[in-house]
Amino acid sequence: MKSGMLAAVCGLAIMTMAGTAQAAGQLNIYNWGDYTSLDMIKKFEEKYDVKVTITDFDSNDTALAKVRAGGHGMDVVIPSSNFVPIWISEGLLLETEPNKMENFKNVEAKWQDVPYDPGRKYTVPWLWGSTGVAANTKLYKGDVNTSAIIFDPPPELQGKINVVPEMGDVMALAIMYLGGEPCSGDKALLKKVRDKLIEAKTHWLSMDYSSVEKLAKGDYSASLEWNGGVFRARLENPDIKYGYPKEGFAFWMDNVAVLKDAKNVENAKLFQNFMMTPEAAGLNSTFARYANAISGSEAYMPDDMKTATEIVIPPELEAKGKFIDVCPPDVTEFYNAIWKEVLR
């Protein structure tokens, strides 16, 4: 999902050096922008003599629409947990059975059997994290652990706020802020959510995925944001602080899946197995600054990942986090209608 997302879709070709010719060929990966460790990709290329091309997308909806349309040329896609069931139900993914792959033993037990992909028949973990809020504490001196920063911002933040425009995350935080549960179909509550979002938007500067650098530079003073992006911003500007809203915040996991119409299936399966090695997962976390689900990966990650406030959730707030699932179709229809009004 998520760290310094690129709004424009672009391609990045990474040329391989000589390596052991175990697989030879190509692999086309479709992933969120600025979310892939090039050091990790280089190791994969050299190990299998495969040239990797990465094409960026800026939202789950964008990725799904492109693949639905066909003719995309991709082999691997990285969808979020709440979208995986949609990809599976529409027959867009290949059942590669990662649970039978050599490196599946490295996946932490709690991530081996997940509701969105029971038994891990289609996907392997990429990275996981939370959606919360960020604030520049040089300007804002209040509590950072509240969504009021976004939905009822104080005067000092008004007109300086960014919101990452991922509908599921924004709707979940807004609903929890108003006392509901994610995927609520309560029409009275959803009307309040719509009104609150439309009102709050008058105080926002932008709805932008490419927010990390702007948050670090002070172009944004607050943001509804993913934790790894805030981590990266804080490394550039120590005044940036990540908050876990006490009203409720969202957990998510992004996942490596192989497309049903992939042209380089065997290389795609190799990549799934490779991403379950501690070194590959550790290099990815080091770059993107999100947690992963692979045991032993800590050995390949910097020490600051172990204590970062963006990674280590305050014990008193951990229970406020909700793992966002796919909402029922009728609820999603309501959300889409609200979202269209918000984006106008």
Side-chain angles (χ1 to χ4, degrees), residues 48 97-106 273 276-277:
Y48 295 109
E97 297 189 309
N99 54 1
K100 296 180 181 179
M101 292 180 179
E102 177 188 1
N103 292 322
F104 189 72
K105 63 182 182 292
N106 297 323
N273 191 48
M276 294 186 285
T277 63

Side-chain angles (χ1 to χ4, degrees), residues 55-83:
T55 300
D56 301 339
F57 60 78
D58 62 3
S59 74
N60 278 297
D61 287 310
T62 297
L64 187 58
K66 184 177 181 69
V67 173
R68 276 173 173 164
H72 49 78
M74 306 301 169
D75 302 307
V76 167
V77 68
I78 318 289
S80 300
S81 48
N82 61 324
F83 270 69

Side-chain angles (χ1 to χ4, degrees), residues 241-254:
K241 190 168 183 181
Y242 184 70
Y244 298 88
K246 54 182 178 255
E247 303 88 3
F249 60 94
F251 286 123
W252 47 265
M253 172 173 273
D254 292 331

Side-chain angles (χ1 to χ4, degrees), residues 81-83 86 167-176 179-187 189-190 193 250 322-335 338:
S81 48
N82 61 324
F83 270 69
I86 301 173
M167 181 184 76
D169 290 346
V170 177
M171 288 294 295
L173 262 67
I175 288 170
M176 289 187 281
E181 292 292 321
C183 286
S184 171
D186 183 332
K187 292 184 176 60
L189 173 63
L190 292 178
V193 168
K322 306 283 186 180
F323 208 90
I324 304 303
D325 295 321
V326 178
C327 298
D330 59 328
V331 174
T332 300
E333 189 175 340
F334 272 102
Y335 287 14
I338 292 171

